[in-house]
Amino acid sequence: MSARTRWFIAFAALLALLPVLPVPEFWITQLNYIGLNAIVSLGLVLLTGVAGLTSFGQAAFVGIGAYTAATLAVNVGLSPWLTLFIGLGITVLVALVLAAVTLRMSGHYLPLATIAWALSLYYTMSNMEMLGKYDGILGVPALTLFGTSLGSGRSYFYVIWVIALLAALAVIHLLDSRTGRAIRALKGGTTMAEAMGISTYRYKVQIFVLAAMLASVSGWLFAHFQRTVNPSPFSLSKGIEYLFMAVLGGVGHVWGAFTGAALVKLTEDQLKDWLPRLIGTSGNYEVIVFGLVLVVVLKYASEGLWPHIERLFARFLPEKRRVRDWADAAPLPERSKPQPGELLLEVDRVRKQFGGLVAVNDVTFQIRAGEIIGLIGPNGAGKSTTFNLISGVLSKTSGRVSFRGEDVSALASREIARRGMSRTFQHVKMLPDMTVLENVALGGYLRSSAGMAQAMLRLDRDEERRLFKEAERQLERIGMKDQMHELAGNLALGPARLMEIARALCTDPALLLLDEPAAGLRHKEKQALAAVLRQLKAEGMSLLLVEHDMDFVMNLTDRIVVMEFGTKLIEGTPAEVQDSPEVRAAYLGTEH
Ligand code: ADP
Ligand code: MG
């Protein structure tokens, strides 16, 4: 059992004891509210902290859960255990509609959109006759379980906290899984995740729905705890407060949600007591204080409080390290590989115009299986654009790309990745707070299948072992096995580039595309990289090497395509290219 598991059990045991100890009723009630709020904040940890999608509207989903529970129990007489699932069903439907409308928005539009639907859901709830308008619904029955009433605060404490801790556990499991890595990849922009075959939109929707479901469960709990429901706890300001809890506690951390929920609840009560006395009139002044604190937290402790608490505890904990339990795991499935010499990639008069600028001007070349092709040219020649046209990141103005005999011109990058083309990036794209091994395992995404539910229930362990075994094998292949447990963010540029190659290899590619892998590397690192590329070729891998540095490609490639001003200048063997006066002129003309 890991030290963290022991802490978790100790924490749960302590909580379980509280209601039977002579703890005053007031504190039990406080803890109940903290649990309810933490469940909602937990959704925000996933949505905002991990996936990078800010929502001010979670209170509206709490409202959906609460109102469904209240109205169906009071007006229809349904069992609360049934209304929980009906509420979740309605929440999922509403969340899916909102996701379809808002999740494709980028930047600040998404948070603004959440404010808009939070307000409209709030006013809908407040104005519906059947929901009692502003008076709400009174007389919600208490929960009963096997004939026992859970009406007292002390017994309800167990209901709330069992659900809160189970939810926390599920989220912890989720984050350490295939889908969890995919979700964590959303934050750094979508290009890298899509290149690994991840449908970023689908995961945004899934996370959005999951966060809404957590909020809805909290609402259901709330209705049976308060025994009455009215609109005010589901307003926009409460939505902002949930986000505040998550951010204050540490929006990237599961236990941050609990820390934030506790802090906000406890200070809120103190402020409600003290502020009116200081100011002389009563009102919701605590909101102003929270706003100010939020600004300070964002400025000086943007990660929130939990990471600091964790550091204090860390002294008493052994270092968190993944147990290497995959030694005898089965290999992941492999795709059938092209025969040496087979026509692999056909780039046929591809063209890209950015407004008036022709960045790629009808470029044509081919790659056969087993070859290393260099695509070189001075800065701004159109290499990266060509690369992005091939890999599906950019759409072509005209022209055709075929891969293994199939026209892939119109496919999205993740579909092209699925067919066996894998890539690295000119500017390394990785998840700095994951280990090297986990980053590389992201490459195995398409060769595995466990979904969110499997991850949360820990039914994905077999496949996880297979993924890590493959990731370790690829790291070994490029000589980085020793660094697999390091945080990727601590790597120097050279090893980071190699890690990207290992990640691309983990996809089991038929063609590997590398965009300026040697740029910015020191001499030693360049040599290490060249050795890896030679070895890959010896193993039969096909490579397209986009490079600015002519010397680097000279001794590595079978053929070189030279570009200048978007146009293919010549194509030939390294010797032919080296001797070409046009190439020399192109490089001299723009470089020195
Ligand atoms: P290279 O990789 O060879 O250095 P690029 O393919 O990055 O060259 O760029 C080729 C040309 O296209 C440059 O003039 C660049 O400014 C232009 N370009 C690249 N991307 C865009 C874009 N998204 N919008 C407009 N112009 C672009
Ligand atoms: Mg470039």
Side-chain angles (χ1 to χ4, degrees):
M1 195 191 292
S2 78
R4 275 164 199 272
T5 315
R6 267 185 302 228
W7 272 103
F8 181 83
I9 292 171
F11 178 56
L14 177 71
L15 280 175
L17 277 179
L18 285 180
V20 291
L21 295 175
V23 178
E25 195 64 33
F26 171 77
W27 286 106
I28 298 292
T29 309
Q30 292 297 77
L31 282 164
N32 283 344
Y33 279 115
I34 291 170
L36 288 172
N37 290 343
I39 296 173
V40 185
S41 309
L42 198 55
L44 282 170
V45 164
L46 277 174
L47 191 66
T48 307
V50 179
L53 306 168
T54 303
S55 166
F56 292 105
Q58 296 311 101
F61 293 121
V62 182
I64 292 177
Y67 268 109
T68 312
T71 190
L72 290 182
V74 173
N75 299 328
V76 188
L78 288 186
S79 144
W81 300 102
L82 190 62
T83 63
L84 171 62
F85 293 97
I86 298 175
L88 281 173
I90 296 174
T91 305
V92 170
L93 282 180
V94 174
L96 282 175
V97 171
L98 292 175
V101 181
T102 53
L103 281 190
R104 289 206 195 267
M105 293 182 183
S106 56
H108 297 306
Y109 293 109
L110 176 67
L112 287 177
T114 66
I115 292 177
W117 55 251
L119 284 174
S120 45
L121 281 175
Y122 172 71
Y123 286 113
T124 310
M125 287 186 270
S126 314
N127 286 303
M128 276 168 81
E129 201 72 61
M130 64 176 278
L131 298 182
K133 293 197 158 181
Y134 285 94
D135 299 329
I137 299 169
L138 302 170
V140 181
L143 281 187
T144 53
L145 187 63
F146 306 122
T148 323
S149 168
L150 301 169
S152 80
R154 281 183 135 75
S155 54
Y156 209 65
F157 174 90
Y158 288 106
V159 182
I160 291 176
W161 278 93
V162 164
I163 291 180
L165 290 185
L166 284 179
L169 213 55
V171 172
I172 289 172
H173 289 168
L174 175 63
L175 289 176
D176 178 32
S177 74
R178 167 185 182 264
T179 24
R181 289 186 292 275
I183 295 161
R184 287 159 82 173
L186 296 178
K187 214 178 180 179
T190 55
T191 317
M192 188 272 281
E194 292 276 334
M196 295 301 125
I198 295 162
S199 165
T200 51
Y201 180 67
R202 201 183 97 200
Y203 279 113
K204 282 182 186 173
V205 173
Q206 280 193 13
I207 283 294
F208 185 74
V209 170
L210 184 62
M213 287 170 79
L214 285 168
S216 175
V217 169
S218 175
W220 174 82
L221 285 166
F222 180 82
H224 293 285
F225 176 52
Q226 292 255 303
R227 313 283 291 278
T228 148
V229 170
N230 67 64
S232 61
F234 315 123
S235 65
L236 177 62
S237 71
K238 187 71 192 186
I240 294 172
E241 201 177 308
Y242 284 127
L243 189 63
F244 175 58
M245 288 175 205
V247 171
L248 182 68
V251 74
H253 307 267
V254 168
W255 300 114
F258 288 79
T259 312
L263 268 169
V264 169
K265 183 71 205 161
L266 300 179
T267 43
E268 191 178 41
D269 288 345
Q270 295 302 315
L271 291 174
K272 274 199 171 129
D273 239 25
W274 283 100
L275 283 179
R277 279 192 231 173
L278 283 177
I279 300 170
T281 53
S282 63
N284 290 337
Y285 299 118
E286 67 277 3
V287 178
I288 301 169
V289 176
F290 287 155
L292 293 175
V293 174
L294 185 62
V295 172
V296 174
V297 168
L298 287 176
K299 187 153 169 58
Y300 296 104
S302 58
E303 272 211 81
L305 292 171
W306 178 253
H308 299 281
I309 299 173
E310 199 173 30
R311 234 164 282 147
L312 284 179
F313 277 100
R315 286 188 218 161
F316 313 106
L317 285 171
E319 203 189 331
K320 190 161 69 173
R321 192 163 227 230
R322 187 174 291 280
V323 187
R324 192 179 167 284
D325 58 356
W326 51 80
D328 50 4
L332 289 176
E334 279 185 35
R335 75 180 81 245
S336 70
K337 295 290 167 0
Q339 294 302 311
E342 191 181 311
L343 189 57
L344 193 60
L345 183 78
E346 269 188 283
V347 179
D348 185 15
R349 281 167 295 165
V350 293
R351 183 182 189 84
K352 183 68 183 178
Q353 269 171 248
F354 293 114
L357 175 81
V358 184
V360 178
N361 189 359
D362 297 343
V363 168
T364 297
F365 65 94
Q366 290 161 358
I367 300 179
R368 292 186 176 275
E371 283 184 323
I372 301 193
I373 301 296
L375 179 60
I376 69 166
N379 270 329
K383 305 180 297 291
S384 290
T385 308
T386 307
F387 190 99
N388 287 331
L389 293 178
I390 296 171
S391 56
V393 171
L394 288 175
S395 61
K396 296 151 209 57
T397 306
S398 64
R400 213 179 103 101
V401 175
S402 311
F403 182 57
R404 305 191 75 177
E406 183 189 358
D407 185 354
V408 295
S409 305
L411 295 183
S413 65
R414 68 165 183 280
E415 287 303 322
I416 296 181
R418 185 183 290 283
R419 285 159 176 76
M421 203 191 288
S422 194
R423 65 168 295 182
T424 64
F425 294 87
Q426 182 170 349
H427 304 286
V428 174
K429 290 189 196 291
M430 57 163 164
L431 300 169
D433 54 359
M434 286 197 330
T435 64
V436 171
L437 186 77
E438 288 163 343
N439 267 279
V440 174
L442 196 59
Y445 178 82
L446 283 175
R447 301 167 72 187
S448 46
S449 64
M452 227 170 203
Q454 273 167 297
M456 289 196 277
L457 298 171
R458 262 322 194 221
L459 300 173
D460 59 344
R461 291 299 98 184
D462 230 34
E463 191 180 80
E464 280 288 286
R465 279 191 284 276
R466 297 174 71 186
L467 274 166
F468 285 128
K469 185 174 183 175
E470 175 69 4
E472 184 190 60
R473 189 172 77 88
Q474 298 302 352
L475 280 165
E476 195 166 13
R477 201 170 168 192
I478 58 148
M480 272 184 69
K481 191 178 159 179
D482 292 346
Q483 285 159 286
M484 70 177 177
H485 294 298
E486 271 176 42
L487 280 186
N490 294 344
L491 293 181
L493 185 58
R497 285 259 165 77
L498 287 174
M499 179 186 77
E500 275 210 321
I501 295 178
R503 186 179 65 201
L505 288 171
C506 205
T507 66
D508 185 30
L511 173 65
L512 196 55
L513 310 180
L514 308 178
D515 194 359
E516 306 222 13
L521 295 196
R522 281 169 287 148
H523 184 63
K524 267 244 157 70
E525 290 175 324
K526 276 191 189 179
Q527 284 180 323
L529 174 67
V532 166
L533 298 185
R534 269 198 203 95
Q535 177 206 328
L536 290 178
K537 179 182 157 69
E539 291 168 11
M541 182 60 70
S542 322
L543 288 137
L544 175 66
L545 192 59
V546 169
E547 216 13 280
H548 159 78
D549 179 351
M550 197 148 58
D551 295 331
F552 184 74
V553 290
M554 276 307 152
N555 302 317
L556 263 174
T557 48
D558 298 301
R559 259 179 319 119
I560 296 178
V561 175
V562 187
M563 284 182 77
E564 190 195 19
F565 302 127
T567 313
K568 183 165 119 178
L569 201 59
I570 61 164
E571 177 176 345
T573 63
E576 285 165 359
V577 166
Q578 204 153 28
D579 291 341
S580 156
E582 287 135 295
V583 174
R584 226 170 290 158
Y587 265 79
L588 287 176
T590 52
E591 289 294 288
H592 301 289

